[in-house]
Amino acid sequence: MSLPTIHIPVMPEEVLEGLQPAPGKKFIDGTFGGGGHSSLLAARVSPGGLVIGLDRDEGAVDKSQEAIDQLAADNPDAAKCMTVYCASYHQAARALAAESLEGVDGLLLDLGLSSDQLADRNRGFAFSVDAPLDLRFDTSSGEPASQLLRRLSEQQIANVIYQFGEERFSRRIARRIVEKRQQRTPVETTTELAELVRRCVPRSKNHDIDPATRTFQALRIAVNDELDILTKALGEAANWLNPGGRIAVISFHSLEDRIVKHAFRENGMLQIITPKPLRPSERETNQNPRARSAKLRIAERTA
């Protein structure tokens, strides 16, 4: 039996204000996670509306009925508005076809890791505990990070860590990873990689971020092809919206935010609603420290 979700949705008030859900409207939550945002949207679109949840993480989809059941206990009409598919958000067109829809009134993408994923000891997202170095959202496809590190050359590993993690010491880390591989002791677990990176990266004074954070971020992005998927989705997103429909994207690091900003600017079908990204309130970050780096951008389809 799966554990109940522990994820707290980020910037919920700002998301609702930006997407403007109302009875009868239809939305896609492209990163369903623990269902927090979807539940909030469903409560606003009932009766008669629809919230389509998408998630490429089969674990999140397996738990989705629990989120729907929990919502039904408080708001049965809202629970009837929710449906969930196991798919990446860049495959939203398939969900629209399955629901016989040409478009929706809003699309939400929360690009951060969920607390449920961080708490899963078998996935390797939280390097504070020893676990297999996997880092895949969808463990039924693709290759785990440990296999990626066995396959790539030293230069390729350094490029991944530098480009996706913006890590200045990427070459030093890559060299040590390949040395371990040549010694027939390849990196297989989160603890092994975290300790290796900590020995390669000096810890900054008065800085509470673990030196391994950027490397793990880079490998997770590479393993899941996150930036390419985001770029593809944003290139198609306006076509998934009805005229007047809005897209809201919550990003957590500069690489994602840069892609969102440029995609909104360059799409002639979208009007930017947030010239500068919205940030979580101090009250929210005190209650949910994982929200502290969140940035929310919103745009509206004009025609």
Side-chain angles (χ1 to χ4, degrees):
M1 181 177 178
S2 59
L3 295 174
T5 182
I6 59 173
H7 186 67
I8 302 172
V10 172
M11 302 181 71
E13 296 174 4
E14 293 85 351
V15 166
L16 292 176
E17 182 177 352
L19 288 179
Q20 302 177 333
K25 287 191 173 184
K26 297 175 175 60
F27 287 83
I28 291 176
D29 180 353
T31 45
F32 182 80
H37 285 123
S38 285
S39 296
L40 294 172
L41 290 169
R44 299 291 185 97
V45 302
S46 66
L50 176 66
V51 176
I52 302 169
L54 304 178
D55 207 298
R56 63 192 293 196
D57 184 340
E58 67 272 25
V61 177
D62 289 343
K63 287 184 178 181
S64 63
Q65 189 57 50
E66 296 174 22
I68 295 173
D69 290 344
Q70 183 176 354
L71 180 60
D74 300 322
N75 191 334
D77 289 336
K80 295 176 184 177
C81 295
M82 288 176 62
T83 186
V84 182
Y85 293 91
C86 188
S88 171
Y89 58 77
H90 78 290
Q91 301 168 320
R94 299 182 186 179
L96 291 175
E99 297 292 332
S100 300
L101 294 174
E102 293 185 2
V104 291
D105 302 300
L107 168 65
L108 172 64
L109 302 179
D110 176 357
L111 304 176
L113 277 173
S114 76
S115 298
D116 298 328
Q117 290 168 326
L118 288 167
D120 189 337
R121 299 177 67 92
N122 296 317
R123 308 285 284 280
F125 291 119
F127 50 85
S128 57
V129 296
D130 194 35
L133 187 60
D134 193 311
L135 302 180
R136 289 174 296 170
F137 294 140
D138 177 6
T139 56
S140 67
S141 64
E143 62 179 345
S146 57
Q147 183 175 326
L148 186 78
L149 293 180
R150 289 195 299 270
R151 179 174 61 81
L152 297 184
S153 68
E154 180 178 327
Q155 183 63 53
Q156 289 172 322
I157 294 171
N159 288 343
V160 165
I161 296 173
Y162 181 76
Q163 292 173 7
F164 297 154
E166 300 177 298
E167 172 56 72
R168 293 187 299 121
F169 297 92
S170 60
R171 291 182 182 179
R172 186 183 298 179
I173 296 167
R175 187 180 311 120
R176 183 65 185 126
I177 288 172
V178 172
E179 287 175 356
K180 292 274 292 178
R181 195 168 70 192
Q182 293 170 342
Q183 295 165 0
R184 299 185 182 277
T185 56
V187 176
E188 298 283 355
T189 70
T190 55
T191 300
E192 290 171 356
L193 180 60
E195 291 178 351
L196 181 153
V197 174
R198 290 170 189 143
R199 290 195 295 269
C200 294
V201 180
R203 183 183 284 272
S204 301
K205 293 182 179 179
N206 302 320
H207 209 297
D208 60 356
I209 297 178
D210 192 294
T213 301
R214 289 184 293 273
T215 295
F216 273 78
Q217 171 189 297
L219 293 177
R220 193 201 76 219
I221 288 173
V223 164
N224 294 291
D225 200 21
E226 292 179 45
L227 300 187
D228 283 345
I229 285 176
L230 176 60
T231 300
K232 291 176 184 177
L234 293 176
E236 294 291 331
N239 298 322
W240 304 331
L241 295 172
N242 296 323
R246 291 188 170 188
I247 174 173
V249 184
I250 303 172
S251 62
F252 289 83
H253 56 75
S254 59
L255 297 173
E256 293 173 337
D257 183 60
R258 196 176 304 135
I259 291 173
V260 177
K261 178 174 66 175
H262 289 304
F264 283 4
R265 285 180 177 177
E266 295 169 4
N267 194 316
M269 299 172 66
L270 294 176
Q271 177 183 353
I272 295 173
I273 303 300
T274 53
K276 293 184 178 180
L278 303 179
R279 301 298 303 271
S281 65
E282 183 178 355
R283 175 176 58 86
E284 179 176 3
T285 57
N286 287 337
Q287 295 175 347
N288 182 18
R290 287 178 180 155
R292 64 182 179 270
S293 60
K295 294 181 179 180
L296 171 62
R297 293 185 185 270
I298 303 167
E300 180 178 303
R301 177 174 170 172
T302 56

